Amino acid sequence: MLPQASPAETSSPLAFSVRDAVVEYDRRPVLRGVSLDVRQGEVVAVLGANGSGKSTLLRAMLGLVPLAGGEVSVRGVPLRRFRDWGRIGYVPQRLSAGGGVPSTVREVVTSGRINRLRRFLPPSAADRAAVDDALASVGLGDRAGDSVHELSGGQQQRVLIARALAGGPDVFVMDEPMAGVDAANQQALARTIEGLSNRGATVVLVLHELGPLEPLIRRSVTLDHGVIAHDGAPPRPEGDCARPGHDHVHPHADADRTPAAVPVIEVSRRD
Amino acid sequence: MIELLQYDFMVRALIAAALVGLAAPVIGVFIVQRRLALLGDGIGHVALTGVGLGFLTGNSPVLTALVVAVVGAVLIELVRVHTRTSGDLALALLFYGGIAGGVFLTGLAPGASTATLTSFLFGSVSTVDQQDVYVVAVLAAAVLAVLAYFGRELFVLCQDEEVARAHGLPVRFLGMVIAVVAAVTVVIAMRVVGALLVSALMVVPVAAAQQLTRSFRVTTGLAMLIGVLSALTGLSAAFYTDTAPGSSIVLIAIAVFAVASGAGAVLRARRGRRSGAGRDARAEPMADTISATDPGSIST
């Protein structure tokens, strides 16, 4: 039984449960009592204007910002006691510059397996395979040896997604993964995310617009001034799966299992 | 060059310098990436109070400096974490207090003079004794071991602290590891390079190496090589010119940086021309890229 996030399947366990979350920056409320349940296997888009609290909600769900009120639990465990971080893949809004010490695409993507790498030992064959798969599925297989600082913004965005993929999590939290990515690569990333979803992964992502992800997203949460203004089917100009050539595959997999490997998805190479 | 090795004190100083040159850039690569390039400076100032305390109490100044530097580093890290801003003013107070305390306590100590303190400020060729070499060797090994143990976690932390937290890494603890290891490195380097210049040996070899490299691993290795070469040649130059070794070591490291940034510019231009024909023909918009919005604490 694979959760497909259809309204009928409300029985799968919760990936995230947010209760009355309040977040303040310097006493200025950014989230003002947000409650949200995300079930395992759901793909949820978080929408809203700039400053509506989208990113803050995502960060609160991962405990990256302190809550001034309310609570968050991940997989049924209060955030404070949650330890199974290897199952969560976080894609931040952009690659942080740091102090400018160069690192290669492969080094950054390999660091996504921090919870799996063995101390003092070089990455194992399984580690390297997972990194190769992650790079291939974002179309950066041939840039592994390049410095991430030499890449364009869209390519850096794909490195961040590959880093999250490499850890083999089954819950993805992505903060504007499409920002700065050109149209062709947005399509490719949409296919990657669809592949993840087909394998039962939970995906929560902040988006500016649904774009190429539209066929995949059945639930969107719209924030307005720190409260949820809408939670349900996204505004949609056409019916579900009405797109010509849309072939929605529902493989039968054990929903409780972490995807054994990152799916390799053929994407059009821009290079 | 060979005649240098006929002096026991010089052999000891060279061993100590090589160890410092090896260890300092390794912690340096993390503090540069974490934008704490001046952390070593601050710790160096604080360590001086430890030196003064050693003179006053008749203990080994290196050991008292070690204790005071570690305590100072922990305080600096706590200020940094809890103020969320850079904690500018609090840090400045700590730094000035550290150097003033060092001068004051040394002044109180019988037999110690400003000249004695100067050897700790800018390094000294002739005052490294056998015990110092042992202390430096043990501490350098400890620094390298700790960084090898936590290296991958520190890489994630220094790339992006939020991502490190989302991986469940103990971010506060790892930040403390960096601060304490930096403090230990400062104390190791103090005898040879001097407390006021030690930070340069952490930062400058890294700044030089990153002009030429694309990977974190190679940057670290190259920075270590530059660190060892600058330390050894600088110390030898100090012997012949009868100057404080800290100054010549740092000047040589900066010269290497200048050469490396020139070579790096040529290298990047050539790389750009080669790839310009093919892969960047359909370059994506550069908006939001790192290089466009954020040059980092050290310009590349």
Side-chain angles (χ1 to χ4, degrees):
Chain A
M1 182 208 71
L2 188 74
Q4 282 299 323
S6 59
E9 295 190 49
T10 48
S11 56
S12 26
L14 289 174
F16 289 102
S17 173
V18 180
R19 285 279 151 273
D20 305 318
V22 177
V23 174
E24 297 175 347
Y25 290 141
D26 299 325
R27 298 185 175 273
R28 192 172 52 84
V30 180
L31 287 189
R32 298 179 298 159
V34 169
S35 295
L36 174 71
D37 283 342
V38 178
R39 300 200 169 268
Q40 287 178 27
E42 263 189 307
V43 178
V44 179
V46 180
L47 308 171
N50 283 336
S52 58
K54 304 186 297 278
S55 289
T56 304
L57 172 60
L58 233 61
R59 288 145 54 87
M61 286 164 70
L62 295 173
L64 301 179
V65 287
L67 291 181
E71 52 194 43
V72 173
S73 39
V74 183
R75 297 177 155 276
V77 181
L79 210 43
R80 216 172 329 101
R81 289 190 282 117
F82 184 75
R83 292 290 172 271
D84 205 4
W85 291 101
R87 304 187 71 159
I88 313 278
Y90 171 54
V91 180
Q93 211 163 50
R94 60 173 64 87
L95 187 75
S96 127
V101 178
S103 35
T104 61
V105 170
R106 176 171 289 277
E107 282 177 325
V108 171
V109 173
T110 304
S111 78
R113 288 182 69 79
I114 185 75
N115 289 307
R116 294 166 188 262
L117 293 165
R118 305 264 303 278
R119 241 175 243 292
F120 296 121
L121 296 180
S124 68
D127 292 325
R128 288 198 304 273
V131 171
D132 288 338
D133 285 352
L135 283 171
S137 68
V138 298
L140 287 175
D142 57 342
R143 304 300 298 266
D146 289 357
S147 164
V148 288
H149 298 264
E150 291 168 359
L151 303 182
S152 68
Q155 289 169 329
Q156 289 178 351
Q157 202 72 44
R158 289 188 277 151
V159 170
L160 298 181
I161 292 169
R163 176 172 67 186
L165 291 173
D170 56 1
V171 176
F172 290 86
V173 177
M174 305 181 173
D175 199 348
E176 300 218 28
M178 298 298 192
V181 180
D182 64 23
N185 282 300
Q186 284 200 9
Q187 292 287 351
L189 285 180
R191 262 171 281 155
T192 303
I193 293 169
E194 184 173 7
L196 294 170
S197 169
N198 287 343
R199 299 198 173 208
T202 311
V203 182
V204 180
L205 70 181
V206 167
L207 292 176
H208 239 67
E209 51 185 18
L210 294 177
L213 283 172
E214 198 202 306
L216 186 64
I217 287 163
R218 306 192 172 193
R219 180 180 172 199
S220 69
V221 172
T222 307
L223 284 174
D224 184 25
H225 293 96
V227 293
I228 292 183
H230 167 88
D231 183 353
R236 198 184 285 276
E238 58 189 7
D240 275 3
C241 302
R243 193 157 56 93
H246 184 93
D247 181 19
H248 208 100
V249 187
H250 297 224
H252 296 273
D254 184 352
D256 287 327
R257 232 189 48 211
T258 310
V262 170
V264 181
I265 290 157
E266 283 303 312
V267 296
S268 55
R269 295 287 179 85
R270 61 169 286 278
D271 300 310
Chain B
M1 233 8 221
I2 297 299
E3 69 201 67
L4 284 181
L5 303 177
Q6 290 165 354
Y7 300 96
D8 282 349
F9 74 86
M10 201 57 204
V11 172
R12 290 195 296 267
L14 284 169
I15 293 173
L19 290 167
V20 170
L22 205 61
V26 189
I27 181 66
V29 77
F30 291 111
I31 62 177
V32 168
Q33 181 65 2
R34 201 162 154 71
R35 296 169 167 283
L36 294 175
L38 295 178
L39 176 69
D41 260 323
I43 297 173
H45 285 59
V46 174
L48 283 175
T49 291
V51 172
L53 204 61
F55 286 142
L56 192 61
T57 58
N59 289 307
S60 155
V62 172
L63 293 181
T64 48
L66 182 64
V67 173
V68 173
V70 168
V71 171
V74 169
L75 280 178
I76 292 171
E77 177 66 11
L78 288 176
V79 168
R80 206 186 62 76
V81 168
H82 287 283
T83 52
R84 280 188 74 86
T85 56
S86 60
D88 233 13
L89 209 53
L91 293 180
L93 288 173
L94 201 60
F95 296 174
Y96 303 142
I99 196 160
V103 174
F104 185 71
L105 292 176
T106 307
L108 288 183
S113 64
T114 330
T116 340
L117 191 62
T118 306
S119 82
F120 282 89
L121 285 174
F122 304 111
S124 158
V125 177
S126 55
T127 59
V128 179
D129 62 25
Q130 196 61 43
Q131 195 206 343
D132 285 335
V133 174
Y134 291 138
V135 172
V136 167
V138 168
L139 292 180
V143 164
L144 293 176
V146 168
L147 293 179
Y149 188 82
F150 289 112
R152 284 189 180 124
E153 282 94 338
L154 294 179
F155 176 77
V156 175
L157 177 76
C158 297
Q159 284 281 316
D160 189 331
E161 188 163 322
E162 291 213 327
V163 170
R165 284 167 66 192
H167 277 301
L169 297 181
V171 165
R172 292 267 175 96
F173 169 75
L174 291 171
M176 224 31 118
V177 166
I178 290 182
V180 169
V181 169
V184 173
T185 311
V186 165
V187 174
I188 306 175
M190 201 172 58
R191 294 315 306 271
V192 184
V193 195
L196 289 192
L197 291 173
V198 40
S199 186
L201 205 50
M202 294 187 190
V203 171
V204 180
V206 177
Q210 71 185 13
Q211 305 298 319
L212 304 170
T213 55
R214 280 184 285 187
S215 88
F216 197 84
R217 186 175 288 269
V218 176
T219 306
T220 309
L222 189 59
M224 290 167 88
L225 186 69
I226 294 171
V228 171
L229 289 178
S230 321
L232 292 180
T233 51
L235 189 65
S236 308
F239 173 81
Y240 288 115
T241 56
D242 194 21
T243 52
S247 56
S248 45
I249 290 172
V250 171
L251 287 175
I252 287 173
I254 289 175
V256 174
F257 168 79
V259 172
S261 55
V266 172
L267 209 66
R268 276 190 295 275
R270 207 178 277 172
R271 224 183 264 158
R273 210 180 311 143
R274 199 185 53 211
S275 61
R279 70 168 45 139
D280 285 349
R282 284 171 52 202
E284 291 175 26
M286 288 297 284
D288 275 356
T289 62
I290 282 173
S291 45
T293 58
D294 201 340
S297 68
I298 286 186
S299 67
T300 50

